[in-house]
Amino acid sequence: SSKIDRLKDGRYLVRCRVRQENVADDFMMPVLIAVDLGKKGTFVSRQFISGGENEIELLRTLEKPRKVIFNYLDSVLCEAKEEDWRH
């Protein structure tokens, strides 16, 4: 799941929550996550996901993000399911 929050200073905070299933606690996988910033381009980050659930702060930006793209360019062979952000 991903979440985009507007901060008090006017910037946007982009966060992502990733959960791996059926892997060992010490299993680590690099995954590309992209943030579409419209005319400003695409921000791409390689995140190393380990074990069960990971919460990642991807980006703080003045440009309003359009969307978050998990497993950008299908960089990992996996079955990805998008979930709603839960608190």
Side-chain angles (χ1 to χ4, degrees), residues 49-82:
I49 309 300
S50 63
E53 188 170 288
N54 298 257
E55 188 168 318
I56 305 155
E57 185 175 309
L58 287 174
L59 177 66
R60 290 175 187 246
T61 178
L62 290 171
E63 188 71 25
K64 184 175 182 179
R66 291 186 175 180
K67 65 180 176 177
V68 177
I69 307 161
F70 179 77
N71 197 21
Y72 186 61
L73 302 175
D74 295 321
S75 57
V76 174
L77 180 60
C78 69
E79 181 181 338
K81 297 176 186 175
E82 200 163 323

